[in-house]
Amino acid sequence: PALGQKLMSLLEYGVLAKLESEIVGGTGGQGRIKGLLELGVDHIPSGEVDPEAMSATDRLGSAVVNLRANGWTPGAIILNPVDWYLISSQKGTDGQYVLGSPRDPSPPSLWGVPVVLTPSLARNVAIVLDPAQVAILDRQTPTLMVSREDGTNFTTNMVTILGELRAGLAVFAAGAVLIVDVTPAGLLNGGVTP
């Protein structure tokens, strides 16, 4: 029983991780979800500052302000954990950390908006969105099925385990999902970053 429970737990985790990956970056197509990266709108910062000279934090702040200026309520910034580390480990001119410290880290939040970390999102890109304009359509929670009646399973003493769920993604207003380039400024200018 313990082995069966462990296998079921691993399969359910795998199915949910695949769903997260599809919601964030799915490309659509037969049996696939078109994710936030496909359905969102590229954010190009505007203003007096050259966008290539802006820090990642400033570009995210520009996206937050853009959502607010267009009547949306920014409620989440989705980042890759490595990008969050690069942002949260920045130091000021005095050598002190800007956001907390390694011993007392700042909660994941920028510009008053919670930061959600996921390895499903590629590095150097972020998603800033109004969660009220996005819905995960959960038609069937994860189910797991076991069968010995698949192909030659019975005669070869094998078991097939299937984990599946049925879900989709709805973005009610594409302008409420902004895709932000958070490439370090050194890379934008042809330099090398740590």
Side-chain angles (χ1 to χ4, degrees):
L3 175 61
Q5 189 174 22
K6 181 65 174 176
L7 286 172
M8 296 302 174
S9 177
L10 287 171
L11 283 171
E12 183 174 357
Y13 174 82
V15 168
L16 292 173
K18 177 69 174 170
L19 175 62
E20 179 181 303
S21 177
E22 287 287 312
I23 287 171
V24 171
T27 57
Q30 183 71 24
R32 305 278 314 263
I33 295 173
K34 190 178 269 193
L36 294 170
L37 288 175
E38 292 287 323
L39 296 170
V41 175
D42 288 337
H43 173 69
I44 300 168
S46 60
E48 298 175 10
V49 179
D50 177 13
E52 291 188 6
M54 294 174 77
S55 70
T57 308
D58 291 336
R59 281 185 246 136
L60 289 167
S62 172
V64 167
V65 168
N66 182 285
L67 281 181
R68 286 189 178 125
N70 287 303
W72 307 116
T73 305
I77 298 172
I78 303 173
L79 277 174
N80 181 285
V82 175
D83 290 328
W84 171 247
Y85 168 75
L86 293 174
I87 290 169
S88 65
S89 64
Q90 291 177 355
K91 295 180 181 178
T93 56
D94 60 355
Q96 298 296 316
Y97 287 97
V98 177
L99 298 174
S101 70
R103 184 175 35 131
D104 187 21
S106 170
S109 174
L110 291 171
W111 305 106
V113 178
V115 173
V116 178
L117 304 177
T118 177
S120 296
L121 184 61
R123 293 228 12 241
N124 300 324
V125 65
I127 302 170
V128 181
L129 59 88
D130 179 345
Q133 301 305 315
V134 175
I136 297 172
L137 309 171
D138 184 6
R139 187 170 161 221
Q140 174 189 339
T141 59
T143 60
L144 303 166
M145 294 175 273
V146 178
S147 172
R148 294 190 66 185
E149 300 172 6
D150 180 33
T152 61
N153 280 7
F154 182 75
T155 59
T156 57
N157 201 24
M158 301 291 288
V159 175
T160 299
I161 303 174
L162 172 67
E164 68 176 356
L165 60 77
R166 299 189 190 284
L169 175 69
V171 174
F172 305 120
V177 178
L178 299 179
I179 312 305
V180 183
D181 178 3
V182 292
T183 306
L187 287 179
L188 288 172
N189 298 322
V192 178
T193 59

